[in-house]
Amino acid sequence: MKKKFQMPSSFSILFLIIALMALMTWIIPAGQYEKNESGNLISGTYHEVEPNKQGLYEVMMAPVYGMLGKDTTLVQSNGEEIQVHTNGAIQVSFFILMVGGFLGVVSETGALDIGIASVVKKHKGKEKRLIPILMILFALGGTTYGMAEETMAFYPLLIPVMLVVGFDTITAVAIILIGSQIGCLASTVNPFSTGVASDVANIGIAEGMGVRIVFFVVMLAIAIPYVYRYASKVEKDPSASLVFQDREKNLEFFQLKATDTNLTKVQKKVLRIFAFTFVIMVIALVPWSSDSFHVTIFEELNASLTSLPVIGTIFGHSLALGDWYFPEITMLFLMMAILVGFVSKMDEKRFIEVFMQGVADLLKVSLICAIARGIQVIMNDGLITATILHFGEESLANLPSSVFITLTYLFYLPLSFLIPSTSGLAGATIGIMAPLGEFAGVSKHLVITAFQSASGILNLLSPTSGIVMGALALGHVDLTTWWKFIGKLALMILLATIGILVLATILV
């Protein structure tokens, strides 16, 4: 029997790209740019140099250096040697693992599941109100910590409720899937897209926050009415449902089961800690004392605390909120995981078990970051990064920034299909696309916004996305039926995204 073609995993695709880039070092001329004191490339200074071809050894070492980082020695045209450092993914990868551990401990308490269930119960008889409320909640999860696979637990809870009150399975799937993925599409501090991409581009995760908040609001303003209108249409006329032929079968299968929806005192505390953790992360990553904000209150508060006799010693050499980066927010999630364990009176053995289960759930993502970063290692060591940038510089020299950002967004749509992992895609491409954007007068953070917007829209409809296929399987919805439902919304999001990106190149 002939085997059906299966799309390779993200790991295989990234390794193939590493091998392809190594082959390119044998074909593409080697070259480099002069750099200024800040380490930024100087436009117009490209020149060819002796090639440094990459072989099998370098291909296999690339993921290792992709995790740990690598220094490459380059010789300037004046004979001066400079060190070029390719950032390793170790800080990002370890942070991702700690987020996984934190989510594992929070999930063990049942606070998130019962929290959503209690919201559903509170609006019994007024279920249509749940559509905007739940979509906003799921979107907040997506924009802050990349809520995706975690949503799978909510489908069995929400689908029976939506069916009983007169909606259909598509409505339930749309609330969760569109809500969470709109959040990921308009990521503000999502560590798996914005965080990884910002690290690769060597900029702060808070850069471009204003534009991304606008994205978040606009995309929700488009998505919520779209789902609400469909649900209202089905409520008035059940035959208007795209899955009407399966309604009786679905009602029989998704029988509403009694679920405990009462949050305990402990679970309420856990939810407060959960929310507080992400609030602190956002505040800590915004550069308050920079020229953009001129806010010094956090520096002054930190200086006051650390100068106190006893309390200062306890706080140690802590950094002020606004000066934090991956090491500090990694510490934050580790500390909050321990606090959740303490508040929920989880015994030490169980705490370690669920923490490590959470770490294991995100191990794949952390390794993808390293392998993706290996692509940049090969290109830098093979001295072809500058040559590719030079080609881009010449090609884009006469392109308006609005055209560049539009092409960047369109470029990322097929790439997101091939590499569904946002972390992997960011590591594989941002190192090239962000500097190219600067040549065209486009800020690095806008390139990142274009990347995550394209990746986000694919995570609403791509068959290569495990999130999409898992959600549709749980909701008993065919992929073609889902496309029929979401097609107009996807087009609206695409046009709105291009509009915001073009406007941002003019205003930012």
Side-chain angles (χ1 to χ4, degrees):
M1 187 175 176
K2 202 172 183 180
K3 286 186 178 180
K4 289 183 180 179
F5 172 78
Q6 287 187 329
M7 182 67 67
S9 68
S10 296
F11 288 101
S12 299
I13 291 173
L14 291 171
F15 255 111
L16 286 171
I17 295 174
I18 289 174
L20 178 62
M21 287 300 108
L23 178 62
M24 289 298 101
T25 65
W26 292 66
I27 301 169
I28 297 175
Q32 64 186 54
Y33 279 93
E34 303 295 311
K35 296 198 173 190
N36 59 25
E37 293 179 358
S38 303
N40 296 320
L41 304 179
I42 302 173
S43 179
T45 62
Y46 172 81
H47 57 280
E48 291 191 11
V49 296
E50 287 294 316
N52 184 30
K53 298 171 183 177
Q54 304 290 288
L56 179 61
Y57 175 80
E58 285 79 14
V59 169
M60 299 311 297
M61 283 298 296
V64 179
Y65 287 129
M67 178 65 86
L68 303 177
K70 182 130 189 320
D71 290 319
T72 304
T73 303
L74 298 179
V75 181
Q76 300 269 58
S77 56
N78 60 6
E80 180 186 350
E81 290 188 353
I82 59 169
Q83 290 287 321
V84 176
H85 181 71
T86 303
N87 288 333
I90 185 69
Q91 287 192 11
V92 179
S93 294
F94 191 62
F95 167 65
I96 288 170
L97 294 180
M98 291 304 101
V99 172
F102 170 75
L103 294 175
V105 176
V106 171
S107 296
E108 174 67 11
T109 67
L112 283 177
D113 292 7
I114 296 176
I116 294 291
S118 65
V119 171
V120 172
K121 181 182 178 182
K122 186 178 178 182
H123 291 82
K124 190 172 183 180
K126 302 171 184 174
E127 283 79 3
K128 210 152 44 169
R129 289 184 184 178
L130 283 173
I131 295 173
I133 293 171
L134 289 178
M135 286 186 73
I136 290 170
L137 287 176
F138 285 121
L140 287 171
T143 196
T144 52
Y145 72 93
M147 189 179 198
E149 288 84 357
E150 300 87 349
T151 60
M152 295 303 163
F154 298 113
Y155 290 100
L157 170 68
L158 195 59
I159 290 172
V161 174
M162 292 294 110
L163 283 171
V164 166
V165 298
F167 302 137
D168 61 1
T169 55
I170 287 181
T171 304
V173 170
I175 290 171
I176 301 171
L177 181 59
I178 295 176
S180 62
Q181 293 315 297
I182 283 291
C184 291
L185 181 151
S187 295
T188 49
V189 291
N190 176 0
F192 308 111
S193 57
T194 312
V196 173
S198 298
D199 185 61
V200 175
N202 289 318
I203 63 173
I205 194 172
E207 286 195 39
M209 180 80 73
V211 175
R212 295 197 293 269
I213 290 173
V214 170
F215 251 101
F216 182 78
V217 173
V218 171
M219 293 306 157
L220 272 181
I222 294 171
I224 290 174
Y226 187 87
V227 176
Y228 193 92
R229 279 195 299 268
Y230 174 81
S232 299
K233 192 163 62 172
V234 172
E235 185 183 35
K236 289 177 184 174
D237 179 11
S239 65
S241 168
L242 295 175
V243 288
F244 177 68
Q245 70 279 5
D246 298 324
R247 179 165 181 79
E248 293 304 318
K249 186 169 61 176
N250 286 334
L251 279 169
E252 185 179 346
F253 183 86
F254 295 106
Q255 292 181 32
L256 191 62
K257 299 176 178 67
T259 307
D260 182 15
T261 57
N262 296 316
L263 285 165
T264 65
K265 288 182 179 179
V266 168
Q267 288 168 334
K268 288 177 181 178
K269 289 178 182 177
V270 170
L271 284 178
R272 291 191 195 106
I273 294 170
F274 181 83
F276 181 69
T277 302
F278 287 97
V279 169
I280 289 294
M281 182 181 79
V282 172
I283 293 173
L285 290 171
V286 176
W288 298 107
S289 60
S290 68
D291 294 337
S292 302
F293 297 98
H294 301 288
V295 176
T296 59
I297 185 172
F298 294 112
E299 285 191 346
E300 292 165 3
L301 179 62
N302 188 68
S304 299
L305 286 173
T306 54
S307 63
L308 293 173
V310 178
I311 296 176
T313 306
I314 294 172
F315 271 85
H317 305 288
S318 60
L319 293 178
L321 297 179
D323 294 333
W324 286 24
Y325 200 49
F326 278 108
E328 290 77 24
I329 56 176
T330 301
M331 172 275 298
L332 172 69
F333 278 93
L334 175 60
M335 182 176 72
M336 289 305 187
I338 295 170
L339 181 59
V340 168
F342 178 77
V343 166
S344 62
K345 297 180 181 178
M346 202 177 294
D347 68 77
E348 186 265 351
K349 184 178 179 182
R350 186 58 185 160
F351 173 84
I352 296 298
E353 282 178 359
V354 297
F355 186 88
M356 293 309 296
Q357 284 170 9
V359 168
D361 288 341
L362 292 184
L363 180 61
K364 175 182 175 181
V365 178
S366 67
L367 290 177
I368 278 178
C369 289
I371 296 173
R373 201 69 63 94
I375 296 169
Q376 197 64 48
V377 171
I378 282 283
M379 294 174 66
N380 286 350
D381 281 5
L383 304 174
I384 63 171
T385 302
T387 305
I388 294 172
L389 287 175
H390 176 61
F391 173 77
E393 181 185 11
E394 290 192 327
S395 303
L396 300 168
N398 298 316
L399 275 184
S401 56
S402 57
V403 175
F404 173 83
I405 199 65
T406 302
L407 292 176
T408 299
Y409 176 66
L410 296 175
F411 162 76
Y412 270 114
L413 290 174
L415 275 188
S416 300
F417 178 84
L418 293 171
I419 308 176
S421 166
T422 51
S423 306
L425 185 57
T429 61
I430 291 295
I432 287 290
M433 295 305 296
L436 276 182
E438 292 193 311
F439 284 138
V442 175
S443 302
K444 288 181 177 180
H445 67 77
L446 278 182
V447 173
I448 291 171
T449 302
F451 136 73
Q452 62 189 32
S453 300
S455 178
I457 196 171
L458 263 292
N459 275 336
L460 285 171
L461 44 81
S462 174
T464 62
S465 169
I467 302 158
V468 172
M469 300 312 291
L472 297 185
L474 287 170
H476 293 190
V477 178
D478 292 334
L479 181 61
T480 51
T481 304
W482 177 250
W483 284 345
K484 188 176 179 181
F485 165 76
I486 204 171
K488 289 180 183 177
L489 177 61
L491 181 60
M492 291 162 64
I493 289 172
L494 186 146
L495 294 175
T497 298
I498 292 174
I500 295 172
L501 288 172
V502 169
L503 189 61
T505 60
I506 299 169
L507 300 177
V508 176

